[in-house]
Amino acid sequence: MSKLTEFRWHGRGGQGAKTAALLLADVAFKTGNHVQGFPEYGPERMGAPITAYDRISDEPILVHCDIHNPDYVAVVDETLLNAVDVTSGLKPEGGILINTSRSKEEILPLLNGYTGKVYTIDARKVCMATLGKYFPNTPMLAGMVKISGVMEEDVFLKEMEESLRHKFAKKPEVLDGNMQALRLALNSVCE
């Protein structure tokens, strides 16, 4: 039986939500899955809300449209909870991962009655401890792999290291920090 997992990413222009979605698709493809990773384009600019999507399946994916009923949602910027209905169509058997330093109890009232699993991660804390700069997409990517179980964590880390080594070929000094951020993020997700 085919297993299709759909993801929706909410972020702001410049935070790397689109990049995280494309990296997830790239890594899943390298593990033998069929994938789609794409942003929803509009008049995006730095700081404006953006949406990106992923589909990952063990069989060919025949649908080509936005994802209206995702299994998992990532909220890269918690201020979007006041501006965007991030839980719209989110399956209750899935889950939502929110980048925040606040507790789950503080976040729940902002989720429009969503009854599924709610996870949090303090991506800023992870970034500052490992990168010294705030790039929330790296911890959010690891967090989405953690909550979805879409691939084994060790396989994810191996494939990400290869992908980042290629991406940062001219800046190899950033590889270690990004790998540390991914590892720390896998252990920093709170349910």
Side-chain angles (χ1 to χ4, degrees):
M1 179 176 209
S2 175
K3 172 69 172 136
L4 173 68
T5 306
E6 296 180 313
F7 300 83
R8 187 172 65 216
W9 298 77
H10 294 280
R12 292 192 181 276
Q15 292 179 323
K18 178 184 98 168
T19 300
L22 297 178
L23 278 169
L24 179 59
D26 183 51
V27 170
F29 178 75
K30 289 178 182 178
T31 64
N33 285 291
H34 298 269
V35 302
Q36 293 177 354
F38 55 98
E40 181 179 282
Y41 282 108
E44 280 79 19
R45 61 193 181 286
M46 189 71 86
I50 68 105
T51 308
Y53 306 94
D54 285 298
R55 284 190 179 96
I56 300 173
S57 178
D58 56 0
E59 293 186 4
I61 301 169
L62 304 177
V63 63
H64 299 279
C65 62
D66 291 347
I67 296 170
H68 301 287
N69 299 102
D71 298 289
Y72 298 95
V73 166
V75 182
V76 181
D77 186 323
E78 74 175 298
T79 65
L80 292 171
L81 297 175
N82 298 316
V84 176
D85 184 3
V86 297
T87 59
S88 175
L90 178 56
K91 296 175 183 172
E93 61 274 12
I96 185 168
L97 175 66
I98 302 163
N99 173 16
T100 184
S101 60
R102 296 193 286 171
S103 70
K104 176 181 168 181
E105 290 71 28
E106 292 175 88
I107 296 297
L108 284 174
L110 304 173
L111 299 181
N112 300 319
Y114 178 66
T115 59
K117 291 184 178 176
V118 177
Y119 303 87
T120 62
I121 185 170
D122 189 342
R124 180 176 300 279
K125 185 176 180 180
V126 171
C127 288
M128 297 315 286
T130 58
L131 301 168
K133 294 182 179 176
Y134 184 48
F135 298 108
N137 61 336
T138 301
M140 292 300 291
L141 173 58
M144 289 301 277
V145 169
K146 177 79 172 185
I147 71 166
S148 68
V150 74
M151 68 185 75
E152 296 294 323
E153 291 176 18
D154 59 334
V155 171
F156 166 70
L157 290 170
K158 177 183 170 289
E159 294 299 337
M160 278 302 298
E161 184 167 7
E162 184 179 311
S163 184
L164 292 172
R165 190 176 305 282
H166 175 73
K167 179 178 175 146
F168 296 123
K170 295 186 180 191
K171 296 191 286 183
E173 65 278 4
V174 302
L175 177 64
D176 285 342
N178 276 281
M179 291 307 299
Q180 288 175 26
L182 292 170
R183 286 186 194 95
L184 181 56
L186 287 169
N187 294 314
S188 298
V189 173
C190 300
E191 183 179 352

